[in-house]
Amino acid sequence: MGEVQQCRDLSILQCEKRLVQPASFHLHTAASWGPGHSLTMRRRKIAVAAGFCLSFFLGTLLNLLCIPGFDPHHHQLHNGVTPAPLHPSLYVRSKQGRGVSLDLIKQLRERYEEVIRYKEHQAPESATGRQVRPLERRLMDLAQRTSTEQHRTWQYQSQNQDILSPSHLRSKIDLSLKPPLLGCQEISNVTNVRYLGSGYTKAVYKVVLNDTVSVALKSVDFGGHDIQNCVKLYNTLEDCYRLASFKIVKEMILLQRLQHPNILQLYGFCYQDSNDISDTLTTINELGSPLEMIQLLQSSWEDRFRICLSLVRLLHYLAHSPLGSITLLDFRPRQFVIVDGELKVTDLDDASMDETTCSKNSDCFMDFPARNFTLPCSVDGKCENMNEKRNLYNAYRFFFTYLLPHSAPESLRPLLDAVVNATGELRWGIDETLAQLEKVLYLYKNGLYLPNVTHTHNAEYKQVKDFSIAEEDYRCWPSYHHNGCLLSIYDINEAIELCESHTQCKAFVWTNQTTWTGRQLVFFKAESRNLISDHGKISYLKVTQKDRINNETL
C-alpha cells in the first residue's frame, strides 16, 4: 500500500516498475521457502484471480443491466444537430412512459391556443340571416375543454405533469363548413393522383374525384423540413406531426371563416390513420394553377391588371375582415394560385390577426430588403395599420412593380404610375389603392381611355358576316394567341386604328369571344385570301385606294 501511495506523484511507467518488480521478487523468494509456502502462495493467487474474475463479471453485468436508454440529446449530437441543452427537469413523462421535452409541449400548447383563438371568432351570418349548422369533427383526441381551462396558467409541478402530456393537446373542435362537404368517402377512390409540390410543412397533390372534378389535397409532409427538424430535436414523430398539423387546422379554420372570391375555397377534410399516427388530417381544396411570373410578364396588360386588381380586392377584405385586420406574414407569389384568371391566396397558415403593440413610434419599425418604414404608434398602444401596410408594400414589391404599368394604354399610365409610386412609399392605404384601381377598370371597360377625336381612316373596310380567315397570321405583342395577333378591343374604331398601325395587317376578324371586362377579342390577319364559313364571326377586309380603282374599272 505504501508503494501505491508513493505512485501518485510518479509517471505510469515508473509506477509499473515499482509495483511489478517487488511482486516478482516476493514470488521468487516464496518458491525457495518450501512446499508449504508454495502451496499457500498458489492458493492466494487462485483466490486473487477468482476475485478479479468475479468483480469483472459483476461489473459487466451491472453495466448491461443499467445501460441508459436512447438519449435524444446524444442522438442529435451524433447526427450533427446541436440543440439547446435540455436539463432533466425540462422533460416530463407521458402516459406511455416516455420522456417529452417541455419545450415541445410549450410549442404544442401555444399553437393549439392559437387555433382556439381563430376558432372562437364567429363566422358572419349568411345572406338569409341563418347561421350555418356547425359540424362536430375530431381534430385532436382530447376531450374538449372550457374556455377558462384553455387559457389557465399551466404549472410545471410534478403533481400536474400529466396535464403536459401531448395527448392532452388533442380535442374536438366544432367547425362550420358550408355544404357541399367532401370527406373521406369522396377521396377514397381518387384517380390521376399527381404531386404538385411542397413547402416547409405541407405537401399538395392534384386528384380527380369521380372521374370528373379535379381538386387539391393538402396534408403534412412527413419528409418536409418542419417534421424532419422537429424529429431530430425531440425524437417523437407523433408529437411533431401534431405540432405541424396545427398549421393545417389553423388554415382550415381561416378558409371557412374568411369568405371572399379571392380566397381559395375549402371543400372538406378527412381524418385517417397514416404512418402509425391516428387521425392524420387531409384537406380538400379548390384547385388552382401556380402563379408563374414569367408567363404573367408575357401576357396581355388586361390579364396582368386583373391579377393586381384581384390582389388589391383581397387585401382590402383582409384589412376589414370579420377577424380584424389580417396580415400575410409569408407573402410571396408562391402563396397564390390562379383560378379562371383570378388571383387567389392558398396558404393562410402564416396569416396573423395580431396587431403589433407599441409604446413609441420606433416600436413600429418595418424592415424590407430595399426600404424601411416607421409607422405611428396610436394612443391605444397599437402600430397604426401595420398589418394593412405590410400587405400593401409586399403587393407593391412582388406584383405592382412588374405587372401594372408596362404596355398599358397610354392614357391610363399616369394613373397606374401613381398607384405604383404611392404604394412604394406607403403614402396610400388599401382603401385609396383599391379606389384608384377600380377607377382604372371603369375607364378601361367603358372605353373612356380612348382619345375623344373624330375618326378618319386611311382605308375602307369591307364587312363579311359569318366568315373568318384561315391562317394568314402574324405575331404581335401582347397577344392572347402565341402564334397570332389576338387582342381585346373596345369598339370597331379601335380595331381599325390598331390594324392601320400594324404594317402587316390587311384584315381582322371580329370573334364572338369576350374578355373578363366584356371587351371583344379580335384576330388581326396579314392577308384575306382564305375566307371560310364561320357562324357568328365577322371579317373586315381592308380596301385600299388601288382596290377601289380596280373595282371601278371592272
Side-chain angles (χ1 to χ4, degrees), residues 216-241:
L217 301 183
K218 281 187 181 183
S219 59
V220 172
D221 185 4
F222 283 91
H225 295 288
D226 213 348
I227 288 285
Q228 293 297 311
N229 292 344
C230 178
V231 171
K232 284 181 180 180
L233 286 173
Y234 304 112
N235 190 44
T236 164
L237 178 61
E238 181 175 3
D239 298 330
C240 287
Y241 172 83

Side-chain angles (χ1 to χ4, degrees), residues 13 33 62 66 122 127 138 162 194 203 239 244 247 271 316 323 329 347 372 411 433-434 452 463 489-490 526 539 552:
L13 182 59
W33 288 348
L62 289 173
C66 301
Q122 294 301 316
R138 177 176 180 148
D162 283 343
R194 183 162 66 92
D239 298 330
K247 287 189 175 183
Y271 282 87
H316 182 268
L323 303 180
L329 297 176
D347 284 341
N372 299 324
S411 61
T433 306
L434 177 60
N452 188 17
Q463 184 183 105
I489 302 300
Y490 173 68
S539 291
E552 290 174 358

Side-chain angles (χ1 to χ4, degrees), residues 488-511:
S488 75
I489 302 300
Y490 173 68
D491 61 9
I492 189 65
N493 289 321
E494 186 180 11
I496 292 174
E497 288 180 359
L498 277 173
C499 186
E500 292 185 352
S501 67
H502 297 171
T503 57
Q504 308 98 312
C505 183
K506 298 296 187 295
F508 58 86
V509 179
W510 196 269
T511 71

Side-chain angles (χ1 to χ4, degrees), residues 49 108 115 131 133 137 147 162 166 181 188 198 222 230 266 290 302 334 369 385-386 406 418 430 487 498-499:
L108 281 164
V115 169
Q131 286 281 356
R133 183 177 180 181
R137 179 63 194 180
S147 178
D162 283 343
L181 175 64
S188 59
S198 59
F222 283 91
C230 178
L266 175 69
E302 187 174 337
R334 63 177 296 175
N385 303 321
M386 178 171 277
H406 309 298
I430 192 62
L487 304 174
L498 277 173
C499 186

